[in-house]
Amino acid sequence: MQKLYIKTYGCQMNVYDSARMADLLVPLGMTPTDDPADADMVILNTCHIREKAAEKVYSELGRLKIVKQTRARAGKPTVIAVAGCVAQAEGEEIIARQPAVDIVVGPQSYARLPQMIAEIARKGGHALDTDFPAVAKFDSLPEAHGGVGVSAFLTVQEGCDKFCTYCVVPYTRGAEYSRPVKDVLDEAMRLYDEGAREITLLGQNVNAYRGEGPSGEWSLATLICALAKMKDLRLRYVTSHPRDMGDDLIEAHRDIAALMPYLHLPVQAGSDKILAAMNRGHKAADYLRLVERIRAARSDIALSGDFIVGFPGESDEDFRATVKLVEAVGYASAYSFKYSARPGTPAAAMAGHVPDAAKNARLQELQALLTRQQAAFNQACLGKTFSVLFERPGRKKNQAVGRSPYLQPVHVENAGHLIGRVADVVIEAVLPNSLKGALRQEVPICPNP
Ligand code: 5AD
Ligand code: SF4
């Protein structure tokens, strides 16, 4: 029996892809391990979005090279594969920089992993595949199975046609592609049968979903309506572009109880000049109007966002516009990053790169504001009753950890028997990164005797 170690970097799409790679390799006789030193095959599923993310991969490869040498001395060969967006973006350069790497495979070519492994076993040397094959990725990967948790991911859309000037995604993940409705519904059914009670629909531009349906194209809202018919299933989706936030999707937040009141809607910046330079295709006021319409449909919705500070040409005044926008919206959670020049993207060649010291100061100020907003959002939950979906046991005996509708982790005592079920929880305390609550009513061990 061969051992397989997969390390995942970056977004949830990579988490999903790593699970698909395991689904592909386990039937060929590999068992997952958490210990790279014990692994006959190591896969790093990588992220190229910022320089730091890509550099982490090379540090890990340096460590793995030593592991590979140690294992080789004990007569145990190791195959090292680099998958994901660094593989797609850097291709052969990876092998030039770290010759211990045997396989480089881009996100569209995972189905070829078994052949690539066989190829290097037979011929030695390296194997590389960063093509965008004509056969859709999802048609050639095996069905999802095994290891499905209470909360599962399902990729419905991949790639991006927006070409924000800072972003590598259109180059590493290719053009927008939506999976056909039937494939998505079938996969959702399988996840449900294996115990998933919450499905997060994934896509780099998920709200641009246009899947081939039984009678014409389906939007994300139509897909969500269909999935909401499955009993006791919660739905979420991520990540959305403001320009693709259709009326039907906003209405879905009003009308569909299964759709959780949480929306990740990145705006990146608050200055119209910077939004234009980023090629975002909307102004700050458009975003604020959109937020108003979403809140009119679902007043309690928790909003989350992504921000970039120090984009080329960003002045102090531009940054103040970002702060103003954040103050106007009030986020429940958010991610913020220093602009990182990515080779080959238009912004990397723009004038006016911002010095690191200014980027640091802006990031610190923005993060402090976003942290205060998150704390205020959490504090306002105190004393409220939430329906919590329990996902896993907690650290303490008979404790369980679940998620509120707003995606906050909630720790609850005497709830060990509730994994996979939803119960009403009164929020009693706000901890730094989670909430603590108590069951509103005792919930029997067996729901339907
Ligand atoms: N530099 C910094 N942050 C970036 N992001 C994407 N590209 C870059 C970059 N070059 C951020 C955006 C995006 C998130 C996933 O990563 O905020 O929404
Ligand atoms: Fe990148 Fe912009 Fe596409 Fe998002 S919408 S993946 S930031 S190009």
Side-chain angles (χ1 to χ4, degrees), residues 174-244:
E176 265 175 37
Y177 166 78
S178 294
R179 293 178 71 189
V181 167
K182 183 176 181 307
D183 294 5
V184 173
L185 296 181
D186 287 352
E187 189 166 329
M189 195 63 86
R190 271 195 303 275
L191 293 171
Y192 186 87
D193 287 345
E194 292 196 32
R197 289 297 174 268
E198 177 174 279
I199 295 181
T200 302
L201 306 175
L202 296 181
Q204 262 101 23
N205 239 303
V206 73
N207 61 344
Y209 178 83
R210 290 275 171 278
E212 183 194 323
S215 48
E217 250 178 23
W218 282 27
S219 67
L220 186 67
T222 318
L223 187 64
I224 286 170
C225 282
L227 289 168
K229 298 205 171 81
M230 290 163 78
K231 195 171 172 288
D232 296 332
L233 179 70
R234 290 180 168 201
L235 297 166
R236 302 180 186 274
Y237 60 95
V238 77
T239 279
S240 296
H241 194 293
R243 265 163 60 198
D244 292 316

Side-chain angles (χ1 to χ4, degrees), residues 404-416:
S404 77
Y406 311 107
L407 208 61
Q408 300 139 302
V410 187
H411 297 260
V412 181
E413 311 280 320
N414 303 319

Side-chain angles (χ1 to χ4, degrees), residues 160-164 166-170 204-205 241 268 280:
C160 181
D161 295 339
K162 297 285 187 301
F163 290 93
C164 296
Y166 50 82
C167 186
V168 288
V169 166
Q204 262 101 23
N205 239 303
H241 194 293
Q268 314 293 355
R280 293 289 295 175

